[in-house]
């Protein structure tokens, strides 16, 4: 599959209310030739055999888990507001929204992959409320606040392997829910409401937030930006992007080269690099884009940064 015939080579996208333009110009906008299309058949056959997608049952389980997490988080936000004596209207309007990022948000759909999530809550909710470490509400023996979101999740019958990591640069809860591994971040925005339809891609959401919240919001914001740029001009481009991302991840993992912790590229690095290659060759088929991916980064002038967009203040 290549981008549809006649697809525009304008690779700009509208994100968060503003137009985002690529950092680098298109190198070659031509479509695949016969040789490249024949290689694409081999590419597809290999992918179908060696890179299975998550079955429908697994996808439905993930959707169910996220739905239940969102409901639990909404109840927690209301409880925090009620404790503070807010009136009923304010409690109901407070909201609290769950967002996803990373490979799940992009639709890579690898079986067994974790889900990166972030709860965006109004300013009445603090990180101490989230983790249950607000001294006012902790138990007599120093245990977590039973009404905190951390304790609600830990006590849920479908949750196992619950680990809170409060001291990290980006505090996180990690756990398995119905066997689905979840990483849950917390973001406290500078607003009394976090309503449905909240635009986390708008730069206004960063106004008045602390460093931990800014870093937490970075995940879904970057993921949404990559998705928007990969779809620019033609919806078919996004499928090309996903196919190449899946096979590069497969290659990196097979060679022990997939790990930020070990100094290699992780998921977001591969996503950015494949998206950049797509910006340079917007009408390439998957097999051709994969070859060009390796050519581009074989000759990349490190430590020059890989940038998808022009700098923006």
């Amino acid at each position: 599959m290549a981008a549809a015939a006649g697809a525009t080579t304008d690779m700009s996208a509208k994100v968060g209310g503003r137009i985002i333009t690529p950092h680098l110009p298109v190198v070659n906008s031509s479509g695949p030739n016969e040789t490249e299309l024949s290689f694409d058949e081999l590419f597809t056959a290999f992918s179908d055999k060696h890179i299975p997608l998550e079955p429908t049952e697994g996808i439905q389980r993930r959707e169910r888990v996220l739905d239940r997490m969102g409901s639990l988080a909404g109840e927690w936000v209301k409880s925090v507001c009620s404790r503070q004596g807010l009136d009923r209207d304010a409690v109901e309007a407070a909201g609290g929204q769950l967002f996803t990022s990373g490979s799940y948000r992009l639709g890579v759909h690898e079986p067994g992959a974790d889900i990166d999530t972030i709860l965006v809550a109004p300013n009445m909710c603090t990180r101490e409320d989230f983790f249950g470490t607000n001294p006012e509400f902790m138990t007599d023996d120093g245990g977590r606040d039973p009404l905190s979101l951390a304790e609600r999740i830990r006590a849920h019958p479908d949750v196992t392997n619950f680990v809170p990591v409060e001291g990290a640069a980006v505090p996180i809860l990690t756990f398995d829910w119905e066997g689905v591994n979840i990483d849950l971040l917390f973001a406290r925005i500078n607003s009394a409401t976090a309503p449905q339809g909240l635009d986390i891609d708008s730069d206004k959401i960063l106004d008045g937030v602390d460093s931990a919240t800014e870093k937490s919001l970075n995940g879904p914001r970057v993921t949404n930006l990559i998705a928007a740029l990969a779809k620019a001009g033609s919806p078919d481009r996004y499928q090309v992007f996903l196919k190449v991302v899946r096979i590069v991840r497969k290659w990196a993992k097979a060679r022990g080269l997939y790990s930020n912790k070990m100094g290699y590229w992780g998921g977001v690095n591969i996503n950015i690099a494949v998206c950049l290659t797509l910006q340079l060759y917007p009408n390439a088929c998957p097999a051709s884009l994969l070859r060009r991916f390796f050519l581009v980064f074989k000759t990349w002038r490190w430590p020059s940064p890989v940038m998808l967009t022009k700098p923006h203040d």
Side-chain angles (χ1 to χ4, degrees):
M1 176 190 288
T8 177
T9 55
D10 178 10
M11 300 300 290
S12 61
K14 188 173 184 179
V15 182
R18 61 189 180 90
I19 302 297
I20 305 294
T21 56
H23 181 61
L24 297 175
V26 171
V27 171
N28 187 339
S29 62
S30 61
N33 56 39
E34 290 186 10
T35 302
E36 290 172 326
L37 289 174
S38 66
F39 278 121
D40 204 52
E41 293 178 4
L42 296 174
F43 177 103
T44 300
F46 178 89
S47 297
D48 291 344
K49 182 178 180 180
H50 297 286
I51 311 177
L53 301 182
E54 180 134 44
T56 301
E57 180 185 352
I59 294 173
Q60 291 174 342
R61 181 171 65 251
R62 290 168 183 270
E63 291 173 349
R64 181 173 64 247
V65 166
L66 289 173
D67 183 63
R68 291 176 179 174
M69 279 179 57
S71 297
L72 193 67
E75 292 170 5
W76 169 72
V77 170
K78 290 180 180 179
S79 73
V80 172
C81 295
S82 296
R83 269 183 172 176
Q84 296 180 12
L86 300 183
D87 62 48
R88 183 175 180 178
D89 289 343
V91 171
E92 291 297 324
Q97 304 301 322
L98 197 66
F99 294 91
T100 60
S101 64
S103 61
Y104 179 83
R105 164 66 182 85
L106 289 173
V108 174
H109 290 316
E110 288 180 336
D114 63 359
I115 304 181
D116 298 314
T117 60
I118 175 174
L119 173 62
V120 178
N123 55 14
M124 298 83 75
C125 303
T126 68
R127 196 160 284 106
E128 290 73 23
D129 294 324
F130 178 79
F131 281 100
T133 54
N134 186 334
E136 184 179 355
F137 302 114
M138 293 175 69
T139 60
D140 293 338
D141 60 357
R144 296 179 187 278
D145 172 10
L147 296 182
S148 67
L149 186 57
E151 274 299 290
R152 290 171 188 247
I153 291 173
R154 186 198 63 78
H156 195 282
D158 293 328
V159 170
T160 57
N161 302 321
F162 175 85
V163 179
V165 186
E166 301 163 57
V170 182
I172 187 173
L173 299 176
T174 180
F175 50 91
D176 295 337
W177 189 315
E178 290 189 37
V180 178
N181 182 246
I182 304 289
D183 288 339
L184 176 61
L185 305 179
F186 174 76
R188 180 190 186 222
I189 60 174
N190 187 25
S191 171
T193 62
Q196 234 177 356
L198 179 69
D199 185 5
I200 61 168
D201 297 320
S202 170
D203 290 343
K204 293 179 180 178
I205 202 167
L206 300 176
D207 292 345
V209 303
D210 61 21
S211 175
T213 287
E214 186 174 351
K215 291 174 182 175
S216 295
L217 288 168
N218 189 53
R221 284 167 55 86
V222 168
T223 303
N224 290 349
L225 176 61
I226 293 171
L229 291 171
K231 294 174 183 175
S234 166
D236 289 336
R237 283 196 185 117
Y238 194 67
Q239 295 307 312
V240 174
F241 164 78
L242 286 179
K243 289 181 178 181
V244 176
V245 163
R246 290 184 188 118
I247 209 162
V248 172
R249 286 164 65 101
K250 177 75 173 179
W251 167 83
K253 290 177 180 180
R255 284 161 177 73
L257 302 175
Y258 185 91
S259 173
N260 281 142
K261 293 178 181 178
M262 298 297 290
Y264 300 114
W265 282 5
V268 67
N269 311 102
I270 290 174
N271 297 339
I272 291 171
V274 172
C275 188
L276 177 76
T277 311
L278 184 66
Q279 289 179 326
L280 301 178
Y281 303 96
N283 295 321
C285 63
S288 179
L289 193 71
L290 178 65
R291 181 178 68 86
R292 285 165 170 162
F293 167 85
F294 284 107
L295 289 174
V296 166
F297 291 103
K298 175 184 176 182
T299 58
W300 193 266
R301 295 184 179 180
W302 305 105
S304 297
V306 178
M307 300 175 62
L308 294 180
T309 69
K310 296 177 180 179
H312 167 73
D313 292 326

